Amino acid sequence: MPVHAIAKEAALNAAKDGDAEKLRTWAAQLEAGGVLYFPQTPVPIPIADLGVLLGQKQKHSSLHKNIAYKPNRDELTGVDAKSSPAEAVEQLHAIMRRYSKSVENFLGEFLAPYQRRWVLDYASYRPIEEQGRDLSTRKRNDLLHTDAFPTRPTKGWRILRFFHNIHPTRTRDWVTGDAFPKVVGNFTPGKLALPRPDGALAKAGKGLASATGLGGLVPQWKRTPYDEFMMQLHNAMKEDSEFQGVCTKEYFQFAPGSSWMVYTETVPHAVLAGQYALEQTFLVDPAAMVEPELAPVRVLEKLAGARLA
Ligand code: SIN
Ligand code: FE
């Protein structure tokens, strides 16, 4: 998977100046399965916030889960409220709210070609060491996979994730796999059936209009044949040890203080080691793409010969 390194100043200047040509090139690289890598994050975290985030592990040893921030409800989950004083929870909430907002502000300009045709999804703080985590197969993040949300179908909207390694000294170590069409070809039609349209599609179509009009509210979407397939593909990749062994792998170490972004529903990825990362997810309208035909929903529809979402 190509990694495109972008200097922080170049990113910020192009975003501020609205350099349409440069911004379209970067968006196209992203859509084609590239990782946009900022060796120095263009979305710096205030020093005081960093101190609080890095102190989480020591202060709350009962912390086992990622901390999630839901911008649409301004809600923080995953913090052990019993062992954390109310002020500490409120402080963390404010930090995550700031982080989410600042990533949205940056990408609003950096991804100007999309004109914010997205739903701002959850942000997360990942304070747990990734190496050697004891998780069930489907929850493991150290096995190559493409992302799909079991309870939040995207109905063809793309999953874009912006990360920040806030560990002061250690890299976050990733591996990425083959391009999406090749992965799909590996699993279909032998191991997985291609998605097929069903009668529920017509009804599911109604969610879209409200999604774009409600300024970040995530509507209750039905799972479409597209979502069904993407969920099956996620599971099939993680559960197939032969695939895990033979597929192409590229290793990458994201430096302390760096950021990167990637369409994780199409780029097979896994995290092997690292601790303390921030992440913000966007669900992006496939029709807003610079290269709409590369959106996975379009790729699958071409293979299936039918509308899937
Ligand atoms: C994942 O999305 O699979 C995990 C990525 C990370 O936490 O670095
Ligand atoms: Fe993932």
mmCIF file of all heavy atoms in Angstrom, residues 24 27 31 111-118 156-158 212 263 283-293 295 298:
data_model
loop_
_atom_site.group_PDB
_atom_site.id
_atom_site.type_symbol
_atom_site.label_atom_id
_atom_site.label_comp_id
_atom_site.label_asym_id
_atom_site.label_seq_id
_atom_site.Cartn_x
_atom_site.Cartn_y
_atom_site.Cartn_z
ATOM 1 N N ARG A 24 -6.839 17.977 -4.489
ATOM 2 C CA ARG A 24 -7.466 16.887 -5.257
ATOM 3 C C ARG A 24 -6.511 15.707 -5.446
ATOM 4 O O ARG A 24 -6.916 14.552 -5.380
ATOM 5 C CB ARG A 24 -7.933 17.395 -6.634
ATOM 6 C CG ARG A 24 -9.275 18.105 -6.600
ATOM 7 C CD ARG A 24 -9.656 18.605 -7.987
ATOM 8 N NE ARG A 24 -10.078 17.517 -8.885
ATOM 9 C CZ ARG A 24 -11.314 17.027 -8.912
ATOM 10 N NH1 ARG A 24 -12.234 17.498 -8.094
ATOM 11 N NH2 ARG A 24 -11.619 16.047 -9.741
ATOM 12 N N ALA A 27 -6.454 13.790 -2.172
ATOM 13 C CA ALA A 27 -7.711 13.052 -1.979
ATOM 14 C C ALA A 27 -7.735 11.819 -2.893
ATOM 15 O O ALA A 27 -8.148 10.735 -2.479
ATOM 16 C CB ALA A 27 -8.911 13.958 -2.258
ATOM 17 N N GLU A 31 -8.113 7.877 -1.916
ATOM 18 C CA GLU A 31 -9.192 7.051 -2.460
ATOM 19 C C GLU A 31 -8.664 5.815 -3.184
ATOM 20 O O GLU A 31 -9.333 4.788 -3.248
ATOM 21 C CB GLU A 31 -10.049 7.891 -3.422
ATOM 22 C CG GLU A 31 -10.826 8.973 -2.706
ATOM 23 C CD GLU A 31 -11.433 9.997 -3.657
ATOM 24 O OE1 GLU A 31 -11.685 9.657 -4.829
ATOM 25 O OE2 GLU A 31 -11.656 11.136 -3.228
ATOM 26 N N LEU A 111 -9.487 18.397 3.038
ATOM 27 C CA LEU A 111 -10.297 17.595 2.107
ATOM 28 C C LEU A 111 -11.386 18.463 1.481
ATOM 29 O O LEU A 111 -12.535 18.022 1.321
ATOM 30 C CB LEU A 111 -10.890 16.383 2.829
ATOM 31 C CG LEU A 111 -9.861 15.328 3.263
ATOM 32 C CD1 LEU A 111 -10.542 14.210 4.056
ATOM 33 C CD2 LEU A 111 -9.129 14.733 2.054
ATOM 34 N N ALA A 112 -10.999 19.664 1.100
ATOM 35 C CA ALA A 112 -11.956 20.616 0.512
ATOM 36 C C ALA A 112 -12.742 20.020 -0.665
ATOM 37 O O ALA A 112 -13.920 20.351 -0.832
ATOM 38 C CB ALA A 112 -11.230 21.886 0.090
ATOM 39 N N PRO A 113 -12.130 19.128 -1.483
ATOM 40 C CA PRO A 113 -12.912 18.566 -2.595
ATOM 41 C C PRO A 113 -14.201 17.877 -2.129
ATOM 42 O O PRO A 113 -15.148 17.751 -2.908
ATOM 43 C CB PRO A 113 -11.957 17.545 -3.226
ATOM 44 C CG PRO A 113 -10.587 18.013 -2.861
ATOM 45 C CD PRO A 113 -10.724 18.674 -1.511
ATOM 46 N N TYR A 114 -14.250 17.424 -0.886
ATOM 47 C CA TYR A 114 -15.446 16.718 -0.392
ATOM 48 C C TYR A 114 -16.538 17.670 0.111
ATOM 49 O O TYR A 114 -17.659 17.235 0.371
ATOM 50 C CB TYR A 114 -15.088 15.748 0.745
ATOM 51 C CG TYR A 114 -14.188 14.612 0.353
ATOM 52 C CD1 TYR A 114 -13.566 13.837 1.332
ATOM 53 C CD2 TYR A 114 -13.944 14.297 -0.981
ATOM 54 C CE1 TYR A 114 -12.727 12.782 0.994
ATOM 55 C CE2 TYR A 114 -13.098 13.254 -1.328
ATOM 56 C CZ TYR A 114 -12.496 12.500 -0.336
ATOM 57 O OH TYR A 114 -11.672 11.464 -0.667
ATOM 58 N N GLN A 115 -16.190 18.949 0.298
ATOM 59 C CA GLN A 115 -17.168 19.934 0.774
ATOM 60 C C GLN A 115 -17.945 19.451 2.002
ATOM 61 O O GLN A 115 -19.149 19.653 2.113
ATOM 62 C CB GLN A 115 -18.148 20.291 -0.350
ATOM 63 C CG GLN A 115 -17.424 20.864 -1.565
ATOM 64 C CD GLN A 115 -18.385 21.178 -2.700
ATOM 65 O OE1 GLN A 115 -19.126 20.297 -3.181
ATOM 66 N NE2 GLN A 115 -18.386 22.425 -3.131
ATOM 67 N N ARG A 116 -17.215 18.796 2.876
ATOM 68 C CA ARG A 116 -17.798 18.280 4.140
ATOM 69 C C ARG A 116 -19.034 17.407 3.920
ATOM 70 O O ARG A 116 -19.965 17.395 4.748
ATOM 71 C CB ARG A 116 -18.148 19.430 5.097
ATOM 72 C CG ARG A 116 -16.915 20.198 5.542
ATOM 73 C CD ARG A 116 -17.241 21.197 6.636
ATOM 74 N NE ARG A 116 -16.117 22.096 6.848
ATOM 75 C CZ ARG A 116 -15.479 22.264 8.009
ATOM 76 N NH1 ARG A 116 -15.872 21.619 9.085
ATOM 77 N NH2 ARG A 116 -14.465 23.094 8.104
ATOM 78 N N ARG A 117 -19.050 16.689 2.810
ATOM 79 C CA ARG A 117 -20.175 15.744 2.602
ATOM 80 C C ARG A 117 -19.858 14.467 3.368
ATOM 81 O O ARG A 117 -19.570 13.418 2.797
ATOM 82 C CB ARG A 117 -20.371 15.493 1.116
ATOM 83 C CG ARG A 117 -20.974 16.735 0.438
ATOM 84 C CD ARG A 117 -20.782 16.694 -1.043
ATOM 85 N NE ARG A 117 -21.621 15.688 -1.684
ATOM 86 C CZ ARG A 117 -21.552 15.415 -2.988
ATOM 87 N NH1 ARG A 117 -20.696 16.072 -3.756
ATOM 88 N NH2 ARG A 117 -22.332 14.493 -3.509
ATOM 89 N N TRP A 118 -19.843 14.594 4.686
ATOM 90 C CA TRP A 118 -19.547 13.468 5.558
ATOM 91 C C TRP A 118 -20.361 13.567 6.834
ATOM 92 O O TRP A 118 -20.943 14.606 7.135
ATOM 93 C CB TRP A 118 -18.057 13.404 5.888
ATOM 94 C CG TRP A 118 -17.458 14.616 6.550
ATOM 95 C CD1 TRP A 118 -17.941 15.316 7.642
ATOM 96 C CD2 TRP A 118 -16.233 15.272 6.179
ATOM 97 N NE1 TRP A 118 -17.093 16.342 7.960
ATOM 98 C CE2 TRP A 118 -16.045 16.344 7.091
ATOM 99 C CE3 TRP A 118 -15.272 15.058 5.191
ATOM 100 C CZ2 TRP A 118 -14.933 17.203 7.028
ATOM 101 C CZ3 TRP A 118 -14.178 15.909 5.135
ATOM 102 C CH2 TRP A 118 -14.016 16.967 6.032
ATOM 103 N N GLY A 156 -22.785 2.207 2.217
ATOM 104 C CA GLY A 156 -21.970 2.608 1.076
ATOM 105 C C GLY A 156 -21.107 3.826 1.348
ATOM 106 O O GLY A 156 -20.217 4.139 0.560
ATOM 107 N N TRP A 157 -21.374 4.530 2.453
ATOM 108 C CA TRP A 157 -20.511 5.659 2.787
ATOM 109 C C TRP A 157 -19.168 5.119 3.240
ATOM 110 O O TRP A 157 -19.092 4.055 3.869
ATOM 111 C CB TRP A 157 -21.177 6.559 3.848
ATOM 112 C CG TRP A 157 -22.284 7.382 3.247
ATOM 113 C CD1 TRP A 157 -23.197 6.961 2.316
ATOM 114 C CD2 TRP A 157 -22.581 8.758 3.506
ATOM 115 N NE1 TRP A 157 -24.036 7.993 1.987
ATOM 116 C CE2 TRP A 157 -23.695 9.104 2.702
ATOM 117 C CE3 TRP A 157 -22.038 9.727 4.355
ATOM 118 C CZ2 TRP A 157 -24.240 10.391 2.710
ATOM 119 C CZ3 TRP A 157 -22.584 11.003 4.367
ATOM 120 C CH2 TRP A 157 -23.679 11.322 3.544
ATOM 121 N N ARG A 158 -18.098 5.859 2.928
ATOM 122 C CA ARG A 158 -16.756 5.352 3.155
ATOM 123 C C ARG A 158 -16.272 5.640 4.570
ATOM 124 O O ARG A 158 -16.682 6.621 5.181
ATOM 125 C CB ARG A 158 -15.807 5.951 2.116
ATOM 126 C CG ARG A 158 -16.270 5.664 0.676
ATOM 127 C CD ARG A 158 -15.141 5.773 -0.303
ATOM 128 N NE ARG A 158 -14.090 4.819 0.004
ATOM 129 C CZ ARG A 158 -12.959 4.706 -0.672
ATOM 130 N NH1 ARG A 158 -12.726 5.504 -1.702
ATOM 131 N NH2 ARG A 158 -12.052 3.820 -0.339
ATOM 132 N N THR A 212 -27.515 13.718 5.427
ATOM 133 C CA THR A 212 -26.796 14.889 4.942
ATOM 134 C C THR A 212 -27.381 16.165 5.518
ATOM 135 O O THR A 212 -26.676 17.151 5.651
ATOM 136 C CB THR A 212 -26.831 14.946 3.401
ATOM 137 O OG1 THR A 212 -28.159 14.718 2.990
ATOM 138 C CG2 THR A 212 -25.915 13.919 2.793
ATOM 139 N N TYR A 263 -8.526 5.201 4.185
ATOM 140 C CA TYR A 263 -9.860 4.605 4.090
ATOM 141 C C TYR A 263 -9.759 3.164 4.583
ATOM 142 O O TYR A 263 -9.337 2.269 3.848
ATOM 143 C CB TYR A 263 -10.374 4.658 2.645
ATOM 144 C CG TYR A 263 -10.998 5.994 2.302
ATOM 145 C CD1 TYR A 263 -10.385 6.873 1.409
ATOM 146 C CD2 TYR A 263 -12.203 6.381 2.896
ATOM 147 C CE1 TYR A 263 -10.967 8.103 1.115
ATOM 148 C CE2 TYR A 263 -12.781 7.607 2.603
ATOM 149 C CZ TYR A 263 -12.163 8.458 1.712
ATOM 150 O OH TYR A 263 -12.745 9.673 1.424
ATOM 151 N N LEU A 283 -17.579 9.287 8.134
ATOM 152 C CA LEU A 283 -18.278 8.509 7.111
ATOM 153 C C LEU A 283 -18.507 9.446 5.934
ATOM 154 O O LEU A 283 -19.218 10.446 6.054
ATOM 155 C CB LEU A 283 -19.616 7.989 7.650
ATOM 156 C CG LEU A 283 -19.519 7.168 8.942
ATOM 157 C CD1 LEU A 283 -20.897 6.670 9.374
ATOM 158 C CD2 LEU A 283 -18.563 6.002 8.772
ATOM 159 N N VAL A 284 -17.855 9.118 4.817
ATOM 160 C CA VAL A 284 -17.834 10.058 3.693
ATOM 161 C C VAL A 284 -18.727 9.566 2.556
ATOM 162 O O VAL A 284 -18.709 8.378 2.193
ATOM 163 C CB VAL A 284 -16.386 10.257 3.181
ATOM 164 C CG1 VAL A 284 -16.336 11.426 2.203
ATOM 165 C CG2 VAL A 284 -15.410 10.503 4.333
ATOM 166 N N ASP A 285 -19.491 10.493 2.000
ATOM 167 C CA ASP A 285 -20.394 10.205 0.885
ATOM 168 C C ASP A 285 -19.584 9.735 -0.331
ATOM 169 O O ASP A 285 -18.731 10.470 -0.815
ATOM 170 C CB ASP A 285 -21.158 11.497 0.549
ATOM 171 C CG ASP A 285 -22.207 11.300 -0.529
ATOM 172 O OD1 ASP A 285 -22.227 10.232 -1.167
ATOM 173 O OD2 ASP A 285 -23.000 12.238 -0.728
ATOM 174 N N PRO A 286 -19.834 8.523 -0.833
ATOM 175 C CA PRO A 286 -19.051 8.048 -1.986
ATOM 176 C C PRO A 286 -19.236 8.942 -3.220
ATOM 177 O O PRO A 286 -18.348 9.014 -4.068
ATOM 178 C CB PRO A 286 -19.584 6.631 -2.236
ATOM 179 C CG PRO A 286 -20.904 6.572 -1.552
ATOM 180 C CD PRO A 286 -20.838 7.535 -0.400
ATOM 181 N N ALA A 287 -20.374 9.634 -3.283
ATOM 182 C CA ALA A 287 -20.618 10.518 -4.435
ATOM 183 C C ALA A 287 -19.745 11.774 -4.371
ATOM 184 O O ALA A 287 -19.611 12.492 -5.361
ATOM 185 C CB ALA A 287 -22.093 10.902 -4.493
ATOM 186 N N ALA A 288 -19.137 12.039 -3.209
ATOM 187 C CA ALA A 288 -18.283 13.224 -3.065
ATOM 188 C C ALA A 288 -16.840 12.951 -3.486
ATOM 189 O O ALA A 288 -16.015 13.862 -3.520
ATOM 190 C CB ALA A 288 -18.317 13.709 -1.612
ATOM 191 N N MET A 289 -16.543 11.693 -3.818
ATOM 192 C CA MET A 289 -15.163 11.310 -4.131
ATOM 193 C C MET A 289 -14.639 12.021 -5.379
ATOM 194 O O MET A 289 -15.394 12.324 -6.299
ATOM 195 C CB MET A 289 -15.067 9.793 -4.383
ATOM 196 C CG MET A 289 -15.426 8.907 -3.200
ATOM 197 S SD MET A 289 -14.225 9.004 -1.891
ATOM 198 C CE MET A 289 -15.257 9.679 -0.581
ATOM 199 N N VAL A 290 -13.320 12.206 -5.409
ATOM 200 C CA VAL A 290 -12.653 12.678 -6.622
ATOM 201 C C VAL A 290 -12.714 11.567 -7.679
ATOM 202 O O VAL A 290 -12.862 11.835 -8.868
ATOM 203 C CB VAL A 290 -11.183 13.052 -6.293
ATOM 204 C CG1 VAL A 290 -10.385 13.317 -7.555
ATOM 205 C CG2 VAL A 290 -11.143 14.263 -5.362
ATOM 206 N N GLU A 291 -12.598 10.313 -7.222
ATOM 207 C CA GLU A 291 -12.697 9.139 -8.104
ATOM 208 C C GLU A 291 -13.838 8.238 -7.601
ATOM 209 O O GLU A 291 -13.583 7.211 -6.972
ATOM 210 C CB GLU A 291 -11.390 8.325 -8.068
ATOM 211 C CG GLU A 291 -10.134 9.112 -8.335
ATOM 212 C CD GLU A 291 -9.740 9.080 -9.799
ATOM 213 O OE1 GLU A 291 -10.574 8.661 -10.631
ATOM 214 O OE2 GLU A 291 -8.605 9.472 -10.094
ATOM 215 N N PRO A 292 -15.086 8.612 -7.893
ATOM 216 C CA PRO A 292 -16.222 7.878 -7.312
ATOM 217 C C PRO A 292 -16.221 6.388 -7.655
ATOM 218 O O PRO A 292 -16.703 5.572 -6.867
ATOM 219 C CB PRO A 292 -17.446 8.566 -7.918
ATOM 220 C CG PRO A 292 -16.954 9.871 -8.464
ATOM 221 C CD PRO A 292 -15.507 9.691 -8.785
ATOM 222 N N GLU A 293 -15.679 6.024 -8.799
ATOM 223 C CA GLU A 293 -15.759 4.608 -9.200
ATOM 224 C C GLU A 293 -14.825 3.715 -8.390
ATOM 225 O O GLU A 293 -14.925 2.487 -8.458
ATOM 226 C CB GLU A 293 -15.525 4.449 -10.711
ATOM 227 C CG GLU A 293 -14.102 4.610 -11.174
ATOM 228 C CD GLU A 293 -13.641 6.084 -11.248
ATOM 229 O OE1 GLU A 293 -14.421 7.012 -10.903
ATOM 230 O OE2 GLU A 293 -12.491 6.304 -11.636
ATOM 231 N N ALA A 295 -14.815 3.839 -5.090
ATOM 232 C CA ALA A 295 -15.505 3.568 -3.817
ATOM 233 C C ALA A 295 -15.891 2.094 -3.790
ATOM 234 O O ALA A 295 -16.337 1.545 -4.803
ATOM 235 C CB ALA A 295 -16.737 4.450 -3.677
ATOM 236 N N ARG A 298 -19.122 0.974 -5.323
ATOM 237 C CA ARG A 298 -19.163 0.940 -6.792
ATOM 238 C C ARG A 298 -18.404 -0.277 -7.327
ATOM 239 O O ARG A 298 -18.835 -0.923 -8.276
ATOM 240 C CB ARG A 298 -18.562 2.221 -7.389
ATOM 241 C CG ARG A 298 -19.292 3.507 -7.018
ATOM 242 C CD ARG A 298 -20.638 3.667 -7.733
ATOM 243 N NE ARG A 298 -21.786 3.305 -6.912
ATOM 244 C CZ ARG A 298 -22.389 4.113 -6.029
ATOM 245 N NH1 ARG A 298 -21.958 5.339 -5.851
ATOM 246 N NH2 ARG A 298 -23.430 3.694 -5.325
#
